[in-house]
mmCIF file of all heavy atoms in Angstrom:
data_model
loop_
_atom_site.group_PDB
_atom_site.id
_atom_site.type_symbol
_atom_site.label_atom_id
_atom_site.label_comp_id
_atom_site.label_asym_id
_atom_site.label_seq_id
_atom_site.Cartn_x
_atom_site.Cartn_y
_atom_site.Cartn_z
ATOM 1 N N GLU A 1 -0.016 -12.487 11.451
ATOM 2 C CA GLU A 1 1.006 -11.817 10.621
ATOM 3 C C GLU A 1 0.724 -12.112 9.166
ATOM 4 O O GLU A 1 0.423 -13.261 8.804
ATOM 5 C CB GLU A 1 2.433 -12.312 11.024
ATOM 6 C CG GLU A 1 3.531 -11.581 10.262
ATOM 7 C CD GLU A 1 4.919 -11.980 10.809
ATOM 8 O OE1 GLU A 1 5.061 -12.114 12.027
ATOM 9 O OE2 GLU A 1 5.854 -12.171 9.978
ATOM 10 N N ILE A 2 0.792 -11.100 8.322
ATOM 11 C CA ILE A 2 0.589 -11.229 6.907
ATOM 12 C C ILE A 2 1.837 -10.980 6.126
ATOM 13 O O ILE A 2 2.569 -9.990 6.357
ATOM 14 C CB ILE A 2 -0.505 -10.241 6.419
ATOM 15 C CG1 ILE A 2 -1.865 -10.540 7.022
ATOM 16 C CG2 ILE A 2 -0.645 -10.256 4.879
ATOM 17 C CD1 ILE A 2 -2.996 -9.693 6.511
ATOM 18 N N ASN A 3 2.190 -11.939 5.283
ATOM 19 C CA ASN A 3 3.306 -11.799 4.375
ATOM 20 C C ASN A 3 2.780 -11.614 2.923
ATOM 21 O O ASN A 3 2.083 -12.460 2.442
ATOM 22 C CB ASN A 3 4.216 -12.999 4.449
ATOM 23 C CG ASN A 3 4.862 -13.183 5.842
ATOM 24 O OD1 ASN A 3 5.479 -12.247 6.336
ATOM 25 N ND2 ASN A 3 4.712 -14.336 6.421
ATOM 26 N N VAL A 4 3.186 -10.503 2.358
ATOM 27 C CA VAL A 4 2.726 -10.181 0.976
ATOM 28 C C VAL A 4 3.880 -10.411 0.036
ATOM 29 O O VAL A 4 5.013 -9.922 0.283
ATOM 30 C CB VAL A 4 2.243 -8.696 0.894
ATOM 31 C CG1 VAL A 4 1.782 -8.389 -0.492
ATOM 32 C CG2 VAL A 4 1.129 -8.430 1.940
ATOM 33 N N ILE A 5 3.613 -11.033 -1.073
ATOM 34 C CA ILE A 5 4.604 -11.216 -2.103
ATOM 35 C C ILE A 5 4.017 -10.599 -3.424
ATOM 36 O O ILE A 5 2.959 -11.077 -3.877
ATOM 37 C CB ILE A 5 4.971 -12.682 -2.313
ATOM 38 C CG1 ILE A 5 5.505 -13.324 -1.099
ATOM 39 C CG2 ILE A 5 5.930 -12.849 -3.524
ATOM 40 C CD1 ILE A 5 5.880 -14.799 -1.173
ATOM 41 N N LEU A 6 4.654 -9.639 -3.919
ATOM 42 C CA LEU A 6 4.269 -8.911 -5.092
ATOM 43 C C LEU A 6 5.370 -9.041 -6.156
ATOM 44 O O LEU A 6 6.556 -8.800 -5.838
ATOM 45 C CB LEU A 6 4.000 -7.420 -4.782
ATOM 46 C CG LEU A 6 3.731 -6.473 -5.950
ATOM 47 C CD1 LEU A 6 2.376 -6.755 -6.555
ATOM 48 C CD2 LEU A 6 3.821 -5.026 -5.485
ATOM 49 N N LYS A 7 4.938 -9.415 -7.395
ATOM 50 C CA LYS A 7 5.966 -9.571 -8.473
ATOM 51 C C LYS A 7 5.507 -8.691 -9.650
ATOM 52 O O LYS A 7 4.347 -8.742 -10.092
ATOM 53 C CB LYS A 7 6.095 -10.974 -8.892
ATOM 54 C CG LYS A 7 6.607 -11.933 -7.835
ATOM 55 C CD LYS A 7 6.788 -13.367 -8.372
ATOM 56 C CE LYS A 7 7.313 -14.293 -7.251
ATOM 57 N NZ LYS A 7 7.453 -15.673 -7.770
ATOM 58 N N TYR A 8 6.405 -7.884 -10.125
ATOM 59 C CA TYR A 8 6.133 -7.108 -11.332
ATOM 60 C C TYR A 8 7.366 -6.859 -12.129
ATOM 61 O O TYR A 8 8.492 -7.059 -11.651
ATOM 62 C CB TYR A 8 5.514 -5.756 -10.925
ATOM 63 C CG TYR A 8 6.356 -4.762 -10.185
ATOM 64 C CD1 TYR A 8 7.125 -3.793 -10.831
ATOM 65 C CD2 TYR A 8 6.487 -4.829 -8.822
ATOM 66 C CE1 TYR A 8 7.916 -2.906 -10.161
ATOM 67 C CE2 TYR A 8 7.296 -3.921 -8.131
ATOM 68 C CZ TYR A 8 8.011 -2.960 -8.777
ATOM 69 O OH TYR A 8 8.835 -2.097 -8.105
ATOM 70 N N VAL A 9 7.146 -6.544 -13.368
ATOM 71 C CA VAL A 9 8.287 -6.188 -14.287
ATOM 72 C C VAL A 9 8.128 -4.726 -14.686
ATOM 73 O O VAL A 9 7.015 -4.234 -14.819
ATOM 74 C CB VAL A 9 8.371 -7.113 -15.510
ATOM 75 C CG1 VAL A 9 8.857 -8.477 -15.088
ATOM 76 C CG2 VAL A 9 7.077 -7.206 -16.216
ATOM 77 N N GLU A 10 9.185 -4.049 -14.910
ATOM 78 C CA GLU A 10 9.180 -2.636 -15.259
ATOM 79 C C GLU A 10 10.157 -2.359 -16.395
ATOM 80 O O GLU A 10 11.309 -2.839 -16.343
ATOM 81 C CB GLU A 10 9.480 -1.788 -14.055
ATOM 82 C CG GLU A 10 9.190 -0.314 -14.266
ATOM 83 C CD GLU A 10 8.815 0.459 -13.089
ATOM 84 O OE1 GLU A 10 9.010 -0.126 -11.920
ATOM 85 O OE2 GLU A 10 8.464 1.615 -13.110
ATOM 86 N N PHE A 11 9.739 -1.593 -17.346
ATOM 87 C CA PHE A 11 10.563 -1.239 -18.492
ATOM 88 C C PHE A 11 11.420 0.011 -18.132
ATOM 89 O O PHE A 11 10.823 0.996 -17.709
ATOM 90 C CB PHE A 11 9.681 -0.973 -19.683
ATOM 91 C CG PHE A 11 10.405 -0.980 -21.018
ATOM 92 C CD1 PHE A 11 10.898 -2.166 -21.496
ATOM 93 C CD2 PHE A 11 10.533 0.186 -21.739
ATOM 94 C CE1 PHE A 11 11.559 -2.170 -22.771
ATOM 95 C CE2 PHE A 11 11.215 0.180 -22.968
ATOM 96 C CZ PHE A 11 11.720 -0.949 -23.469
ATOM 97 N N ILE A 12 12.696 -0.098 -18.300
ATOM 98 C CA ILE A 12 13.623 1.025 -17.887
ATOM 99 C C ILE A 12 14.082 1.705 -19.162
ATOM 100 O O ILE A 12 14.715 1.123 -20.031
ATOM 101 C CB ILE A 12 14.816 0.488 -17.096
ATOM 102 C CG1 ILE A 12 14.347 -0.263 -15.888
ATOM 103 C CG2 ILE A 12 15.680 1.685 -16.754
ATOM 104 C CD1 ILE A 12 15.538 -0.879 -15.136
ATOM 105 N N ILE A 13 13.705 2.975 -19.305
ATOM 106 C CA ILE A 13 14.074 3.790 -20.483
ATOM 107 C C ILE A 13 15.141 4.777 -20.070
ATOM 108 O O ILE A 13 15.011 5.519 -19.075
ATOM 109 C CB ILE A 13 12.851 4.568 -20.995
ATOM 110 C CG1 ILE A 13 11.708 3.565 -21.420
ATOM 111 C CG2 ILE A 13 13.235 5.459 -22.156
ATOM 112 C CD1 ILE A 13 10.457 4.266 -21.923
ATOM 113 N N PRO A 14 16.311 4.787 -20.755
ATOM 114 C CA PRO A 14 17.370 5.698 -20.385
ATOM 115 C C PRO A 14 17.011 7.159 -20.644
ATOM 116 O O PRO A 14 16.304 7.474 -21.580
ATOM 117 C CB PRO A 14 18.543 5.265 -21.273
ATOM 118 C CG PRO A 14 17.892 4.628 -22.430
ATOM 119 C CD PRO A 14 16.643 3.992 -21.940
ATOM 120 N N GLU A 15 17.517 7.990 -19.747
ATOM 121 C CA GLU A 15 17.391 9.453 -19.934
ATOM 122 C C GLU A 15 18.782 10.005 -20.008
ATOM 123 O O GLU A 15 19.605 9.785 -19.125
ATOM 124 C CB GLU A 15 16.648 10.104 -18.739
ATOM 125 C CG GLU A 15 15.176 9.766 -18.683
ATOM 126 C CD GLU A 15 14.337 10.487 -19.719
ATOM 127 O OE1 GLU A 15 14.868 11.428 -20.289
ATOM 128 O OE2 GLU A 15 13.196 10.102 -19.983
ATOM 129 N N ASN A 16 19.103 10.706 -21.146
ATOM 130 C CA ASN A 16 20.451 11.258 -21.299
ATOM 131 C C ASN A 16 21.477 10.171 -21.267
ATOM 132 O O ASN A 16 22.561 10.312 -20.647
ATOM 133 C CB ASN A 16 20.734 12.405 -20.367
ATOM 134 C CG ASN A 16 19.827 13.552 -20.460
ATOM 135 O OD1 ASN A 16 19.463 13.921 -21.614
ATOM 136 N ND2 ASN A 16 19.413 14.161 -19.401
ATOM 137 N N GLN A 17 21.162 8.987 -21.758
ATOM 138 C CA GLN A 17 22.012 7.811 -21.872
ATOM 139 C C GLN A 17 22.348 7.199 -20.574
ATOM 140 O O GLN A 17 23.280 6.441 -20.430
ATOM 141 C CB GLN A 17 23.305 8.251 -22.647
ATOM 142 C CG GLN A 17 23.047 8.611 -24.117
ATOM 143 C CD GLN A 17 24.333 8.865 -24.860
ATOM 144 O OE1 GLN A 17 25.079 9.766 -24.566
ATOM 145 N NE2 GLN A 17 24.617 8.029 -25.867
ATOM 146 N N SER A 18 21.636 7.567 -19.530
ATOM 147 C CA SER A 18 21.828 6.976 -18.173
ATOM 148 C C SER A 18 20.539 6.216 -17.777
ATOM 149 O O SER A 18 19.449 6.764 -17.937
ATOM 150 C CB SER A 18 22.173 8.063 -17.186
ATOM 151 O OG SER A 18 22.313 7.498 -15.923
ATOM 152 N N TYR A 19 20.770 5.045 -17.285
ATOM 153 C CA TYR A 19 19.606 4.218 -16.832
ATOM 154 C C TYR A 19 19.427 4.433 -15.319
ATOM 155 O O TYR A 19 20.384 4.568 -14.561
ATOM 156 C CB TYR A 19 19.872 2.695 -17.085
ATOM 157 C CG TYR A 19 19.822 2.345 -18.552
ATOM 158 C CD1 TYR A 19 20.914 2.518 -19.375
ATOM 159 C CD2 TYR A 19 18.673 1.762 -19.059
ATOM 160 C CE1 TYR A 19 20.888 2.172 -20.710
ATOM 161 C CE2 TYR A 19 18.618 1.379 -20.409
ATOM 162 C CZ TYR A 19 19.759 1.580 -21.206
ATOM 163 O OH TYR A 19 19.718 1.246 -22.543
ATOM 164 N N ARG A 20 18.135 4.450 -14.903
ATOM 165 C CA ARG A 20 17.846 4.661 -13.456
ATOM 166 C C ARG A 20 16.778 3.676 -13.045
ATOM 167 O O ARG A 20 15.650 3.686 -13.602
ATOM 168 C CB ARG A 20 17.446 6.079 -13.274
ATOM 169 C CG ARG A 20 16.953 6.359 -11.781
ATOM 170 C CD ARG A 20 16.532 7.752 -11.617
ATOM 171 N NE ARG A 20 17.626 8.690 -11.659
ATOM 172 C CZ ARG A 20 17.570 9.974 -11.462
ATOM 173 N NH1 ARG A 20 16.365 10.512 -11.181
ATOM 174 N NH2 ARG A 20 18.590 10.766 -11.526
ATOM 175 N N PHE A 21 17.039 2.850 -12.085
ATOM 176 C CA PHE A 21 16.052 2.031 -11.502
ATOM 177 C C PHE A 21 15.680 2.632 -10.084
ATOM 178 O O PHE A 21 16.554 2.882 -9.300
ATOM 179 C CB PHE A 21 16.502 0.597 -11.225
ATOM 180 C CG PHE A 21 15.546 -0.240 -10.451
ATOM 181 C CD1 PHE A 21 14.381 -0.725 -10.984
ATOM 182 C CD2 PHE A 21 15.791 -0.488 -9.103
ATOM 183 C CE1 PHE A 21 13.495 -1.471 -10.233
ATOM 184 C CE2 PHE A 21 14.913 -1.203 -8.291
ATOM 185 C CZ PHE A 21 13.762 -1.696 -8.859
ATOM 186 N N ILE A 22 14.351 2.788 -9.879
ATOM 187 C CA ILE A 22 13.879 3.339 -8.610
ATOM 188 C C ILE A 22 12.989 2.337 -7.947
ATOM 189 O O ILE A 22 11.987 1.895 -8.536
ATOM 190 C CB ILE A 22 13.186 4.674 -8.817
ATOM 191 C CG1 ILE A 22 14.090 5.712 -9.526
ATOM 192 C CG2 ILE A 22 12.666 5.250 -7.474
ATOM 193 C CD1 ILE A 22 13.409 6.978 -9.871
ATOM 194 N N TYR A 23 13.237 2.033 -6.662
ATOM 195 C CA TYR A 23 12.295 1.285 -5.886
ATOM 196 C C TYR A 23 11.743 2.282 -4.827
ATOM 197 O O TYR A 23 12.503 2.721 -3.958
ATOM 198 C CB TYR A 23 12.866 0.060 -5.201
ATOM 199 C CG TYR A 23 11.792 -0.597 -4.337
ATOM 200 C CD1 TYR A 23 10.783 -1.321 -4.925
ATOM 201 C CD2 TYR A 23 11.745 -0.364 -2.922
ATOM 202 C CE1 TYR A 23 9.749 -1.816 -4.162
ATOM 203 C CE2 TYR A 23 10.689 -0.910 -2.202
ATOM 204 C CZ TYR A 23 9.685 -1.582 -2.753
ATOM 205 O OH TYR A 23 8.721 -2.123 -2.048
ATOM 206 N N PRO A 24 10.451 2.530 -4.867
ATOM 207 C CA PRO A 24 9.863 3.441 -3.893
ATOM 208 C C PRO A 24 9.713 2.813 -2.512
ATOM 209 O O PRO A 24 9.118 1.701 -2.441
ATOM 210 C CB PRO A 24 8.501 3.803 -4.477
ATOM 211 C CG PRO A 24 8.153 2.612 -5.319
ATOM 212 C CD PRO A 24 9.453 2.040 -5.821
ATOM 213 N N THR A 25 10.346 3.350 -1.488
ATOM 214 C CA THR A 25 10.270 2.736 -0.190
ATOM 215 C C THR A 25 8.794 2.803 0.421
ATOM 216 O O THR A 25 8.048 3.745 0.072
ATOM 217 C CB THR A 25 11.250 3.391 0.785
ATOM 218 O OG1 THR A 25 11.038 4.790 0.759
ATOM 219 C CG2 THR A 25 12.640 3.077 0.335
ATOM 220 N N VAL A 26 8.533 1.910 1.320
ATOM 221 C CA VAL A 26 7.154 1.789 1.826
ATOM 222 C C VAL A 26 6.795 2.963 2.734
ATOM 223 O O VAL A 26 7.641 3.381 3.523
ATOM 224 C CB VAL A 26 7.042 0.488 2.577
ATOM 225 C CG1 VAL A 26 5.670 0.352 3.272
ATOM 226 C CG2 VAL A 26 7.306 -0.668 1.648
ATOM 227 N N VAL A 27 5.594 3.456 2.586
ATOM 228 C CA VAL A 27 5.181 4.600 3.388
ATOM 229 C C VAL A 27 4.457 4.165 4.676
ATOM 230 O O VAL A 27 4.138 5.022 5.465
ATOM 231 C CB VAL A 27 4.236 5.525 2.558
ATOM 232 C CG1 VAL A 27 4.967 6.128 1.449
ATOM 233 C CG2 VAL A 27 3.050 4.753 2.120
ATOM 234 N N GLY A 28 4.159 2.911 4.779
ATOM 235 C CA GLY A 28 3.495 2.423 6.017
ATOM 236 C C GLY A 28 1.982 2.394 5.907
ATOM 237 O O GLY A 28 1.409 2.890 4.933
ATOM 238 N N PRO A 29 1.302 1.823 6.875
ATOM 239 C CA PRO A 29 -0.142 1.666 6.828
ATOM 240 C C PRO A 29 -0.836 3.063 6.934
ATOM 241 O O PRO A 29 -0.355 3.998 7.561
ATOM 242 C CB PRO A 29 -0.453 0.868 8.060
ATOM 243 C CG PRO A 29 0.654 1.087 8.985
ATOM 244 C CD PRO A 29 1.875 1.220 8.127
ATOM 245 N N ARG A 30 -1.970 3.152 6.290
ATOM 246 C CA ARG A 30 -2.784 4.395 6.282
ATOM 247 C C ARG A 30 -4.153 4.089 6.731
ATOM 248 O O ARG A 30 -4.623 2.929 6.683
ATOM 249 C CB ARG A 30 -2.793 4.989 4.899
ATOM 250 C CG ARG A 30 -1.424 5.186 4.293
ATOM 251 C CD ARG A 30 -1.501 5.841 2.932
ATOM 252 N NE ARG A 30 -0.162 5.995 2.365
ATOM 253 C CZ ARG A 30 0.107 6.762 1.286
ATOM 254 N NH1 ARG A 30 -0.847 7.361 0.652
ATOM 255 N NH2 ARG A 30 1.367 6.850 0.845
ATOM 256 N N TYR A 31 -4.856 5.093 7.209
ATOM 257 C CA TYR A 31 -6.215 4.899 7.774
ATOM 258 C C TYR A 31 -7.274 5.552 6.894
ATOM 259 O O TYR A 31 -7.067 6.621 6.348
ATOM 260 C CB TYR A 31 -6.263 5.501 9.165
ATOM 261 C CG TYR A 31 -7.666 5.427 9.745
ATOM 262 C CD1 TYR A 31 -8.142 4.263 10.269
ATOM 263 C CD2 TYR A 31 -8.475 6.565 9.766
ATOM 264 C CE1 TYR A 31 -9.447 4.193 10.857
ATOM 265 C CE2 TYR A 31 -9.752 6.448 10.301
ATOM 266 C CZ TYR A 31 -10.237 5.267 10.819
ATOM 267 O OH TYR A 31 -11.489 5.252 11.323
ATOM 268 N N THR A 32 -8.364 4.876 6.739
ATOM 269 C CA THR A 32 -9.500 5.488 6.028
ATOM 270 C C THR A 32 -10.814 4.911 6.675
ATOM 271 O O THR A 32 -10.772 3.811 7.239
ATOM 272 C CB THR A 32 -9.477 5.171 4.578
ATOM 273 O OG1 THR A 32 -10.634 5.794 3.909
ATOM 274 C CG2 THR A 32 -9.577 3.647 4.284
ATOM 275 N N ASN A 33 -11.920 5.623 6.566
ATOM 276 C CA ASN A 33 -13.146 5.074 7.067
ATOM 277 C C ASN A 33 -14.058 4.779 5.894
ATOM 278 O O ASN A 33 -13.766 5.121 4.738
ATOM 279 C CB ASN A 33 -13.849 6.076 8.031
ATOM 280 C CG ASN A 33 -14.180 7.401 7.431
ATOM 281 O OD1 ASN A 33 -14.763 7.417 6.402
ATOM 282 N ND2 ASN A 33 -13.742 8.471 8.089
ATOM 283 N N HIS A 34 -15.156 4.104 6.156
ATOM 284 C CA HIS A 34 -15.961 3.568 5.051
ATOM 285 C C HIS A 34 -16.729 4.672 4.324
ATOM 286 O O HIS A 34 -17.295 4.407 3.209
ATOM 287 C CB HIS A 34 -16.991 2.554 5.614
ATOM 288 C CG HIS A 34 -16.286 1.317 6.161
ATOM 289 N ND1 HIS A 34 -15.723 0.414 5.376
ATOM 290 C CD2 HIS A 34 -16.188 0.914 7.453
ATOM 291 C CE1 HIS A 34 -15.199 -0.555 6.133
ATOM 292 N NE2 HIS A 34 -15.477 -0.298 7.399
ATOM 293 N N THR A 35 -16.794 5.897 4.861
ATOM 294 C CA THR A 35 -17.566 6.905 4.196
ATOM 295 C C THR A 35 -16.832 7.658 3.129
ATOM 296 O O THR A 35 -17.365 8.443 2.382
ATOM 297 C CB THR A 35 -18.111 7.908 5.247
ATOM 298 O OG1 THR A 35 -16.964 8.566 5.891
ATOM 299 C CG2 THR A 35 -18.929 7.217 6.299
ATOM 300 N N GLU A 36 -15.500 7.470 3.107
ATOM 301 C CA GLU A 36 -14.715 8.176 2.089
ATOM 302 C C GLU A 36 -14.836 7.579 0.727
ATOM 303 O O GLU A 36 -15.198 6.379 0.561
ATOM 304 C CB GLU A 36 -13.223 8.155 2.468
ATOM 305 C CG GLU A 36 -12.942 8.938 3.750
ATOM 306 C CD GLU A 36 -11.456 8.886 4.114
ATOM 307 O OE1 GLU A 36 -10.899 7.800 4.049
ATOM 308 O OE2 GLU A 36 -10.900 9.952 4.480
ATOM 309 N N GLU A 37 -14.627 8.380 -0.239
ATOM 310 C CA GLU A 37 -14.752 7.890 -1.642
ATOM 311 C C GLU A 37 -13.602 6.955 -1.946
ATOM 312 O O GLU A 37 -12.629 6.875 -1.268
ATOM 313 C CB GLU A 37 -14.701 9.103 -2.566
ATOM 314 C CG GLU A 37 -15.874 10.079 -2.375
ATOM 315 C CD GLU A 37 -15.734 11.252 -3.323
ATOM 316 O OE1 GLU A 37 -14.752 11.341 -4.118
ATOM 317 O OE2 GLU A 37 -16.675 12.095 -3.315
ATOM 318 N N GLU A 38 -13.732 6.263 -3.112
ATOM 319 C CA GLU A 38 -12.719 5.272 -3.542
ATOM 320 C C GLU A 38 -11.353 5.917 -3.707
ATOM 321 O O GLU A 38 -10.340 5.279 -3.476
ATOM 322 C CB GLU A 38 -13.163 4.573 -4.849
ATOM 323 C CG GLU A 38 -14.248 3.592 -4.663
ATOM 324 C CD GLU A 38 -14.467 2.778 -5.901
ATOM 325 O OE1 GLU A 38 -13.774 3.036 -6.872
ATOM 326 O OE2 GLU A 38 -15.319 1.900 -5.878
ATOM 327 N N SER A 39 -11.295 7.126 -4.107
ATOM 328 C CA SER A 39 -10.032 7.815 -4.327
ATOM 329 C C SER A 39 -9.351 8.271 -3.096
ATOM 330 O O SER A 39 -8.452 9.027 -3.137
ATOM 331 C CB SER A 39 -10.233 8.998 -5.312
ATOM 332 O OG SER A 39 -11.123 9.939 -4.724
ATOM 333 N N SER A 40 -9.863 7.858 -1.918
ATOM 334 C CA SER A 40 -9.321 8.395 -0.645
ATOM 335 C C SER A 40 -7.888 8.052 -0.481
ATOM 336 O O SER A 40 -7.213 8.717 0.287
ATOM 337 C CB SER A 40 -10.144 7.857 0.526
ATOM 338 O OG SER A 40 -10.042 6.380 0.552
ATOM 339 N N PHE A 41 -7.367 7.066 -1.158
ATOM 340 C CA PHE A 41 -5.958 6.734 -0.997
ATOM 341 C C PHE A 41 -5.047 7.875 -1.399
ATOM 342 O O PHE A 41 -3.952 7.994 -0.910
ATOM 343 C CB PHE A 41 -5.550 5.440 -1.773
ATOM 344 C CG PHE A 41 -5.599 5.624 -3.264
ATOM 345 C CD1 PHE A 41 -4.511 6.100 -3.919
ATOM 346 C CD2 PHE A 41 -6.719 5.246 -3.971
ATOM 347 C CE1 PHE A 41 -4.556 6.236 -5.338
ATOM 348 C CE2 PHE A 41 -6.777 5.328 -5.360
ATOM 349 C CZ PHE A 41 -5.654 5.839 -5.997
ATOM 350 N N GLU A 42 -5.546 8.770 -2.249
ATOM 351 C CA GLU A 42 -4.751 9.909 -2.724
ATOM 352 C C GLU A 42 -4.579 10.994 -1.649
ATOM 353 O O GLU A 42 -3.663 11.773 -1.677
ATOM 354 C CB GLU A 42 -5.356 10.500 -3.972
ATOM 355 C CG GLU A 42 -5.357 9.523 -5.128
ATOM 356 C CD GLU A 42 -6.054 10.110 -6.326
ATOM 357 O OE1 GLU A 42 -6.950 10.984 -6.133
ATOM 358 O OE2 GLU A 42 -5.714 9.753 -7.465
#
């Protein structure tokens, strides 16, 4: 089992005087093979 801990800070800029914090939910594991280009994650 792998436990990942990621820490980051993010600058929140208001739009129309309203602040919005977004946490993108996890999309789950993805598959790629070794022959794909580096940009395959896209």
Side-chain angles (χ1 to χ4, degrees):
E1 185 173 317
I2 293 185
N3 296 306
V4 181
I5 300 177
L6 172 70
K7 297 181 181 181
Y8 66 94
V9 288
E10 189 154 11
F11 197 69
I12 304 176
I13 299 176
E15 290 286 344
N16 297 323
Q17 297 185 294
S18 178
Y19 289 81
R20 174 182 291 185
F21 170 77
I22 300 176
Y23 177 75
T25 53
V26 176
V27 298
R30 306 182 181 190
Y31 175 79
T32 181
N33 61 50
H34 295 291
T35 61
E36 292 179 317
E37 297 179 356
E38 285 189 0
S39 61
S40 60
F41 67 85
E42 296 176 333

